[in-house]
Amino acid sequence: MKILITGANGYIGMRLLPLLLDEGHEIICAVRNKERLSIDPETRSKITIIEIDFLEAVEEGKIPIDIEAAYFLIHSMSTSTRDFDEMEARTAYNFNSYINKTKVEHVIYLSGIVNDENLSKHLWSRKNVEEILSNGEFNLTVLRAGIIVGSGSSSFEIIRDLCEKLPVMITPKWVLTKTQPIAIRDVMHFLTGVLGNRKTYNQSFDIAGPDVLTYKQMLQRYARIRGFKNWIITVPIMTPKLSSYWLYFVTSTSYKLALNLVDSMKIEVVARDNKLEQLLGIKTHTYEEAIDMAFIKIEQNLVVSSWKDSMISGRLNKNLGKFIQVPKYGVLKDEKKLKVQDKERVLKNIWKIGGDNGWYYGNWLWRFRGFIDKLTGGVGLRRGRTHPDKIFPGDSLDFWRVLLADKKNKRLLLFAEMRLPGEAWLEFRIDEDSVLHQTATFRPRGLKGRLYWYSVLPFHYFIFGGMIRNLAKA
């Protein structure tokens, strides 16, 4: 079957892609920037990639006419706190315009459970998108999920951050709200199971695991599984805004995502039935099993995708492709170079930079800079990195975003997502003469930008000098 995946570089899309390929389907991935699809060259050679921004005006001939099915996996909740519902509606209308000109028979949309009478803006938007898609000239299957638990999922990472970092929590009252989590593995089974299944056409289904839990119980069970105890004290005085700040500062989530999540956490997200589970013969996993499976993937370094690599985890909502050409004029630079003995070993060091491995020199200074960035509304260092030794364009790397990761030409280029009075690049390159080049480039924004650069210049001398020396050690 010829299948279109929209939102292919998102958390769900990246998990779905290899499963569909294994089943022998022909896959077309629709992304805004093809360079940001974080897949290995072998997988890339098996698929077709097309660039489409579903928020922009519809362009003729973008999508092949002969596709037979499509997955709608586009969400905008984390790009805005005000108008994300309008963005999601526009995306759905434009999707219909594209797909109605093809031979698509079946469209599958992953939505949210919307059984409560008083829906949050986030869940109302999901339901609105369902209604828009239902007017398309195709058969629609809607899968409604609640909290998705898996390695790299935003929900799992938030729970992990809270429990691992706060043995005692002063929590808002929404932690007593009931929800019904589902393992990411089960979500994948449902997404692939309904494909082309005529019994699911033009219907919506709640999908969930067997456990109905409060958020407090989810936190407590996580702690028990991990072998420690936490104390949770619930107070009624935390407003949604204070709750959002609490999530933002303690976890790796962005403030926009935290605000929209808190808005939804006041609403019960419990499935009505399990008829699809019976129809497809799927036995869902418990919450504890979902946690265990997530840590198996983490410990084996087999995390396929992470929400942190999505652009929603950063503060920038831009096409980073335009930053891949590092400017030469009107910039300030710190350039260092060093002859290396073992190019391949040094390249491996470069590819392991950031995350748990740190920055090879003055890690406490990097952590302090991340703390300052978090205080001022930036992303901080908490995102880390998805893989310990693999980097793809578009990946997050602490408070940097990967623009270019070219092992063949021995070059890594990063763009800063920290809050700065300007724009910053950090480049590592090994030339044919075995010389390691390390270049920090800063394009200041006015006088404030220049003052910032010169104020941190003394730190650059030690940090960047120590970093290149340690990177070069073979």
Side-chain angles (χ1 to χ4, degrees), residues 75-328:
H75 301 300
S76 302
M77 183 178 71
S78 305
T79 59
S80 170
T81 57
R82 295 182 180 179
D83 59 354
F84 71 85
D85 53 334
E86 296 175 11
M87 296 167 67
E88 291 190 336
R90 192 185 327 145
T91 296
Y93 280 120
N94 288 342
F95 175 84
N96 281 1
S97 297
Y98 276 112
I99 297 300
N100 287 343
K101 296 171 184 176
T102 71
K103 296 179 180 179
V104 163
E105 179 183 341
H106 192 201
V107 170
I108 300 164
Y109 170 46
L110 182 61
S111 183
I113 292 176
V114 288
N115 296 330
D116 198 290
E117 292 183 2
N118 300 310
L119 296 177
S120 65
K121 186 177 181 180
H122 156 225
L123 292 174
W124 178 89
S125 179
R126 294 287 193 268
K127 189 173 183 179
N128 185 48
V129 168
E130 289 182 26
E131 294 174 359
I132 295 169
L133 294 177
S134 67
N135 293 320
E137 298 172 11
F138 44 76
N139 298 293
L140 177 67
T141 299
V142 178
L143 302 181
R144 296 169 172 171
I147 296 292
I148 296 176
V149 180
S151 57
S153 75
S154 58
S155 302
F156 171 79
E157 294 298 340
I158 288 172
I159 291 169
R160 186 182 180 188
D161 277 346
L162 289 173
C163 291
E164 301 282 355
K165 295 172 182 175
L166 296 177
V168 179
M169 296 183 220
I170 308 297
T171 63
K173 60 183 179 181
W174 52 252
V175 297
L176 302 178
T177 304
K178 291 181 180 178
T179 186
Q180 196 165 355
I182 181 170
I184 182 62
R185 188 173 301 183
D186 295 331
V187 175
M188 293 297 109
H189 287 160
F190 284 116
L191 285 170
T192 55
V194 299
L195 178 63
N197 189 325
R198 296 181 184 275
K199 294 180 180 179
T200 69
Y201 285 6
N202 302 312
Q203 295 189 68
S204 61
F205 302 92
D206 290 352
I207 60 173
D211 302 312
V212 177
L213 304 167
T214 64
Y215 291 105
K216 181 177 181 178
Q217 289 172 323
M218 290 175 68
L219 293 167
Q220 290 171 328
R221 290 193 184 190
Y222 175 95
R224 187 172 70 243
I225 292 167
R226 297 296 289 158
F228 57 84
K229 184 174 178 59
N230 57 6
W231 288 265
I232 301 174
I233 303 167
T234 305
V235 295
I237 58 173
M238 289 185 76
T239 65
K241 192 167 186 178
L242 282 175
S243 298
S244 303
Y245 280 124
W246 179 68
L247 275 185
Y248 169 67
F249 282 116
V250 175
T251 72
S252 56
T253 187
S254 67
Y255 177 70
K256 291 177 182 178
L257 180 57
L259 190 62
N260 291 322
L261 282 175
V262 167
D263 187 40
S264 294
M265 285 173 172
K266 298 177 290 184
I267 310 299
E268 280 199 358
V269 181
V270 178
R272 281 184 175 166
D273 56 60
N274 61 353
K275 59 183 179 181
L276 186 61
E277 187 176 336
Q278 297 169 351
L279 176 65
L280 300 180
I282 294 173
K283 180 174 174 56
T284 56
H285 295 81
T286 65
Y287 174 67
E288 285 88 349
E289 290 171 335
I291 295 291
D292 285 337
M293 290 187 295
F295 274 102
I296 289 173
K297 294 294 184 183
I298 292 169
E299 289 162 2
Q300 295 178 347
N301 295 325
L302 294 175
V303 180
V304 177
S305 63
S306 172
W307 78 276
K308 297 175 185 178
D309 290 330
S310 169
M311 292 302 292
I312 66 173
S313 75
R315 69 178 184 87
L316 302 174
N317 186 23
K318 299 179 181 179
N319 177 6
L320 293 183
K322 69 179 183 179
F323 295 105
I324 202 165
Q325 294 297 327
V326 183
K328 296 181 179 179

